[in-house]
Amino acid sequence: MADEESSKANLPLPPPVIPSLSLSLSFFFFWKNFLEVTCRSSGKKTRYAAGTKSSFAVNLINRKLDLGSPLALHIEAVKEGEEPVNFGPDAVLVDYGTGWKLQTVTEVDYAGVTKGEGIPAQIESSGGTHPTKRVSKSGISSLYIAKILLAFILMFMLGAILTIALENLPRLILFINSSM
């Protein structure tokens, strides 16, 4: 019994809990459960719940823009003197702390760069915006026309084979019945 008491005396004590500090920290996290994103096209700030995907926020921001305003391409976190942090379409919006602000990047920010050079075009879908594949601007090539013609030829050949098979089906049934 004396050994148990001495082993209990050597155990480290848990750190003291400061009620005012823990209360203020929990209040801070409860109070700041949203993120603000500044739209550079309109200058409006929109709020999103913590854990919102970037593509959802960009989609909502683009829906609220006036006609003729440049569309938001993605969201970035910026701080003076720091390299911006870009959020991809599937990234979750995060607040990086004091001095960091979330803002949109628009088509105007890439002035002088055409969509074919560096920025993929975007389409809207129910899940948000997704970049499309780049398509060459050469128009209709001879290989494309050849593939279409080959597809038509194969389609007509299949139709002819099925027509001949259906026309000879009664003869085939008679032949099978007579041989049994």
Side-chain angles (χ1 to χ4, degrees), residues 4-173:
E4 290 178 16
E5 289 179 15
S6 64
S7 65
K8 287 182 182 178
N10 294 335
L11 292 176
L13 295 174
V17 178
I18 303 171
S20 62
L21 179 62
S22 63
L23 181 62
S24 63
L25 287 176
S26 64
F27 178 72
F28 174 74
F29 288 120
F30 176 73
W31 180 62
K32 190 70 172 174
N33 58 358
F34 62 87
L35 301 165
E36 285 187 348
V37 178
T38 305
C39 178
R40 293 181 66 183
S41 298
S42 65
K44 296 178 183 176
K45 288 185 178 182
T46 54
R47 291 182 176 182
Y48 298 98
T52 301
K53 284 192 174 185
S54 173
S55 59
F56 178 76
V58 168
N59 193 10
L60 284 181
I61 290 170
N62 285 338
R63 284 185 192 176
K64 294 178 181 179
L65 288 176
D66 297 330
L67 290 176
S69 297
L71 295 175
L73 300 175
H74 63 273
I75 295 175
E76 67 181 2
V78 293
K79 182 178 182 180
E80 192 172 323
E82 296 282 339
E83 184 73 23
V85 178
N86 296 309
F87 292 92
D90 292 330
V92 175
L93 295 178
V94 178
D95 185 10
Y96 285 107
T98 308
W100 288 91
K101 295 179 182 177
L102 297 177
Q103 66 183 19
T104 59
V105 176
T106 63
E107 296 169 339
V108 174
D109 296 332
Y110 290 104
V113 179
T114 62
K115 286 190 179 192
E117 291 174 354
I119 304 169
Q122 293 191 355
I123 56 173
E124 288 190 22
S125 64
S126 61
T129 56
H130 300 285
T132 59
K133 292 183 179 179
R134 296 186 196 279
V135 179
S136 64
K137 296 180 181 179
S138 62
I140 299 174
S141 66
S142 58
L143 180 64
Y144 180 71
I145 293 173
K147 287 180 180 179
I148 290 175
L149 290 176
L150 179 66
F152 273 112
I153 291 170
L154 290 175
M155 189 172 55
F156 284 121
M157 286 178 58
L158 181 65
I161 291 171
L162 289 175
T163 302
I164 292 172
L166 286 175
E167 286 178 354
N168 292 321
L169 185 63
R171 287 187 208 149
L172 179 65
I173 293 173

